[in-house]
Amino acid sequence: MREDQEQIRTYSRRTVLLLGGQALLLSAVVGRMYQLQVDDAEKYATAAEENRINTRLLLPPRGRIFDRRGLPIAVNEEDYRVVIVAERTKDVRGSLQRLSEIIQIPPEDQARVLKEVRRRRRFLPVTIAQGLTWEEVARIEINAPDLPGILTERGLKRIYPQSELMAHLVGYVGPVNEAEQEADLDPLLRIPEFRIGKGGLERKYDDQLRGTSGTRRVEINASGRVQRELHRKEGTPGRDLHLTLDLQLQRYCMEKIARHYAASAVVLDVFSGEVLAMVSTPTYDPNLFIKGIDTGTWNALRKNKLGPMNNKAIGGQYAPGSTFKMVVALAGLEAGLITPESTFNCTGALTMGPAKFHCWRRSGHGVVDVRRSIKESCDIFFYELALKLGIDRIAEMAHKLGLGQETGVDIPGETGGLIPDKAWKQKTYKKRWYPGETVISGIGQGYVLATPMQLAVMVARLTNGGYAVKPRVVAGLSTPNTAPVTVGDTDFPHLGVRRSNLTLIIDAMNAVVNERGGTALASQIKNEKWHMGGKTGTSQVRRITKAERARGVVRNEDLPWERRDHALFVGFAPVERPRFATAVVVEHGGGG
């Protein structure tokens, strides 16, 4: 009996302990449920909503680019693409493999996607392919349940309808790299599909062309599929660029120089500085960069010795040769060291101590004045005049006319050329300047370098009455349904040179093209209304030795292409009332 009572007491204690434990556990569960459902209800409701509602940035339409007549140079086209979101699938590789059975995904693209997935945050979409057809999009959507993490999207892609014709001017767009993301805090740059300007006008005016992002709130299911759009706020489109260039003239210039291995040309308005054409060959297709250029094509472009990626019109630096003679002539006239009637006797060579400087005409030109020396391109006249002037006065006039410094044209990639003087040589080489260097500088050789754009600006300043015109390629910026707002300078200071001296230079350049004996008579325009003035130039790229002169200078056509002289021409039209200036450089073209 006593044993039975003891067992009952033991059982009762255990029961009490068990019930107490259960009661304690139940209290904890109830308390936690109260905390979750009452105290933290708002917090978890918000989290659940965020899990169901997704906010995405919308890419704004990039601003378009048009020529002066409204013809398209860079526009946007609707584009369908397929992306993968790593956090929405347990097997990225498997999803890619299944997708490749529906649409063609090359192995190299699959490898690229896997690399990008490892590099980026898992919630960021990675583009697998773009430029999909509607049929391909439909096949992907039908198979959506078997493609976890795979989404199709509709967007815009950049298109360059003029292809190679405008490549150096317009540039191209490309993916944002890490350095660019760090330097620019715009949230758009965090979107993998976003493209920014990488060259030319696309780069220079990227902030204006880019626009601002919009937002899109969508409802998604557990697998990440969009069920419906709840709200959309469109972004602000980028501003359109309206250029000064004439597409028809651009095409004409390209056709004329495309026959040469490497050449460039510029045409501009002598009063406004508007660049009407600017071409450079060889060129490239900017559309190659839209999807991302492959390594082989990129290396071929980069290593090509003819420099297809270089805009030679503003980045190519050449000895201007005889096109520089107008600078020396104007410097002499302005300094009062010569007059229109001053003459020098050209015997075919100028001797200075042991050195002999030759004229291109071995027999010489005889007695020549300023006008005839430019017309027939007499070297001896300018050797003698350069010695009278000295290099510093030549450099001063060259700078006035826009040489030896960047012109300020509103596209990236411009180089400044070089106009030497005594101080420059001392600083650069720690050596004094020699008279022989002045002699060869007088005909645009030696250290003197200029770009085609600078040479066109030089001609514009000579023919517009002496105003410091500055070139520009962008006429204005506009937003949808608004007129373009003009950008750039339109009022230019005077250079302080005498009009009578400019008139003499213009008359001499007229004689170069339109009078017997002129070095460019073969290029005369027969229509008198469009008679042009100009100046030829030949820029040596090799040294002609004394021995070669003795046995006869080798003709350009008998030399390897890379050892032939550069050919240059600068001009203006019409002669009576100059309006347009041009400069053309043909690398190793043989002569101007």
Side-chain angles (χ1 to χ4, degrees):
M1 185 66 139
R2 184 176 299 174
E3 290 179 359
D4 292 340
Q5 291 177 348
E6 186 65 29
Q7 287 179 352
I8 293 172
R9 283 196 294 271
T10 300
Y11 178 78
S12 299
R13 284 196 299 272
R14 289 177 179 175
T15 301
V16 170
L17 289 174
L18 182 59
L19 291 174
Q22 289 177 337
L24 185 62
L25 181 61
L26 181 61
S27 298
V29 171
V30 171
R32 180 58 175 162
M33 291 178 63
Y34 182 86
Q35 181 186 14
L36 292 175
Q37 296 186 28
V38 180
D39 293 345
D40 295 338
E42 184 176 350
K43 171 185 173 181
Y44 287 102
T46 301
E49 179 70 10
E50 289 176 350
N51 200 31
R52 185 177 67 87
I53 306 300
N54 187 275
T55 301
R56 301 178 181 179
L57 289 178
L58 291 174
L59 296 178
R62 190 170 179 83
R64 300 161 299 175
I65 304 177
F66 302 98
D67 88 329
R68 68 188 298 116
R69 303 179 191 277
L71 297 176
I73 293 173
V75 293
N76 306 307
E77 283 189 358
E78 193 172 67
D79 176 52
Y80 292 95
R81 61 177 68 97
V82 59
V83 303
I84 186 167
V85 182
E87 72 172 0
R88 301 294 180 184
T89 177
K90 296 179 181 179
D91 184 7
V92 172
R93 189 182 298 274
S95 293
L96 277 176
Q97 185 59 41
R98 285 189 289 275
L99 178 64
S100 67
E101 297 170 0
I102 299 170
I103 65 171
Q104 186 177 5
I105 308 294
E108 59 269 23
D109 282 351
Q110 294 186 44
R112 172 187 57 81
V113 171
L114 291 172
K115 181 179 178 181
E116 287 293 312
V117 166
R118 289 192 296 269
R119 190 172 66 88
R120 293 180 180 174
R121 296 179 181 180
R122 292 184 62 80
F123 65 84
L124 288 175
V126 174
T127 300
I128 302 170
Q130 54 186 2
L132 302 180
T133 65
W134 178 246
E135 181 182 351
E136 289 174 321
V137 172
R139 289 206 304 267
I140 295 171
E141 289 298 328
I142 290 172
N143 291 276
D146 300 322
L147 299 170
I150 302 292
L151 305 171
T152 57
E153 294 183 345
R154 185 176 67 178
L156 296 173
K157 66 178 179 181
R158 199 64 158 174
I159 293 293
Y160 302 102
Q162 309 306 328
S163 190
E164 293 93 344
L165 181 62
M166 303 294 290
H168 292 112
L169 179 76
V170 73
Y172 57 92
V173 295
V176 183
N177 59 42
E178 292 182 6
E180 289 162 338
Q181 285 184 344
E182 293 175 1
D184 192 333
L185 300 180
D186 189 339
L188 280 171
L189 273 65
R190 272 63 184 172
I191 303 176
E193 290 73 30
F194 190 66
R195 300 290 188 266
I196 63 172
K198 297 285 187 174
L201 293 169
E202 292 278 27
R203 174 183 164 191
K204 173 73 174 181
Y205 288 90
D206 186 63
D207 288 345
Q208 302 283 357
L209 292 165
R210 187 183 298 179
T212 57
S213 61
T215 56
R216 178 186 181 217
R217 287 171 59 82
V218 294
E219 183 180 0
I220 58 176
N221 61 18
S223 64
R225 294 284 168 188
V226 175
Q227 301 301 299
R228 60 193 176 107
E229 184 174 272
L230 302 176
H231 180 263
R232 174 184 286 258
K233 179 183 178 183
E234 298 292 347
T236 304
R239 300 177 72 185
D240 293 336
L241 288 186
H242 300 266
L243 306 187
T244 63
L245 277 94
D246 186 304
L247 199 54
Q248 185 176 355
L249 180 61
Q250 180 86 355
R251 184 172 289 107
Y252 178 84
C253 291
M254 181 64 81
E255 289 171 355
K256 290 297 181 183
I257 70 168
R259 74 187 90 173
H260 303 287
Y261 289 115
S264 55
V266 175
V267 181
L268 55 82
D269 187 301
V270 303
F271 296 108
S272 68
E274 292 182 352
V275 178
L276 304 174
M278 183 177 68
V279 294
S280 176
T281 62
T283 182
Y284 66 95
D285 184 358
N287 291 299
L288 293 172
F289 294 85
I290 293 172
K291 293 184 179 180
I293 192 168
D294 64 88
T295 303
T297 304
W298 170 247
N299 286 335
L301 288 171
R302 187 171 55 87
K303 294 178 181 179
N304 189 328
K305 67 178 183 179
L306 298 179
M309 298 296 290
N310 179 32
N311 184 353
K312 297 176 179 65
I314 60 172
Q317 300 184 108
Y318 310 92
S322 294
T323 63
F324 191 70
K325 289 176 178 177
M326 286 84 72
V327 175
V328 181
L330 186 59
L333 292 165
E334 286 292 306
L337 296 178
I338 58 170
T339 66
E341 292 76 30
S342 297
T343 60
F344 291 106
N345 183 30
C346 173
T347 60
L350 171 69
T351 301
M352 290 181 59
K356 182 174 285 189
F357 300 92
H358 295 268
C359 183
W360 69 268
R361 180 180 289 176
R362 297 188 66 178
S363 60
H365 290 85
V367 177
V368 291
D369 58 15
V370 179
R371 187 179 188 276
R372 187 182 167 204
S373 68
I374 293 176
K375 171 185 171 181
E376 300 182 18
S377 202
C378 173
D379 293 329
I380 300 301
F381 184 97
F382 291 97
Y383 292 156
E384 297 276 15
L385 179 55
L387 286 171
K388 290 173 71 82
L389 278 164
I391 190 61
D392 287 345
R393 281 195 283 201
I394 294 173
E396 181 183 359
M397 181 56 69
H399 286 302
K400 278 188 176 182
L401 294 175
L403 305 178
Q405 61 214 340
E406 293 183 8
T407 64
V409 65
D410 47 347
I411 51 175
E414 184 178 22
T415 54
L418 175 60
I419 297 298
D421 57 21
K422 293 178 180 178
W424 169 84
K425 190 181 180 189
Q426 183 61 41
K427 180 180 179 181
T428 305
Y429 295 105
K430 303 295 188 291
K431 293 180 181 180
R432 70 182 183 88
W433 185 268
Y434 295 99
E437 294 171 315
T438 302
V439 170
I440 58 176
S441 295
I443 60 166
Q445 295 278 175
Y447 297 115
V448 182
L449 295 172
T451 67
M453 179 64 76
Q454 290 172 336
L455 293 174
V457 168
M458 175 192 75
V459 174
R461 294 182 179 187
L462 287 170
T463 57
N464 68 8
Y467 289 90
V469 65
K470 177 181 175 181
R472 61 192 179 104
V473 299
V474 175
L477 291 159
S478 72
T479 53
N481 304 317
T482 64
V485 177
T486 302
V487 298
D489 297 330
T490 55
D491 189 20
F492 307 106
H494 196 267
L495 298 173
V497 293
R498 289 189 286 274
R499 181 172 290 273
S500 59
N501 291 333
L502 293 175
T503 300
L504 175 59
I505 299 295
I506 292 172
D507 181 48
M509 293 176 71
N510 175 33
V512 169
V513 181
N514 299 304
E515 292 185 8
R516 186 178 298 276
T519 57
L521 181 62
S523 298
Q524 182 187 43
I525 298 174
K526 300 304 180 182
N527 187 334
E528 291 187 4
K529 292 182 179 180
W530 284 99
H531 270 182
M532 70 174 178
K535 182 72 189 76
T536 55
T538 301
S539 171
Q540 291 183 0
V541 298
R542 66 188 181 97
R543 184 174 180 271
I544 300 175
T545 64
K546 184 177 180 180
E548 185 179 345
R549 288 192 182 278
R551 64 175 181 266
V553 177
V554 179
R555 297 181 305 172
N556 273 285
E557 53 266 35
D558 296 328
L559 291 167
W561 177 81
E562 64 274 8
R563 297 190 66 205
R564 298 175 187 175
D565 299 334
H566 294 325
L568 301 93
F569 181 80
V570 298
F572 66 92
V575 167
E576 295 301 323
R577 301 184 67 180
R579 175 68 187 279
F580 307 106
T582 187
V584 182
V585 176
V586 178
E587 292 184 13
H588 310 292

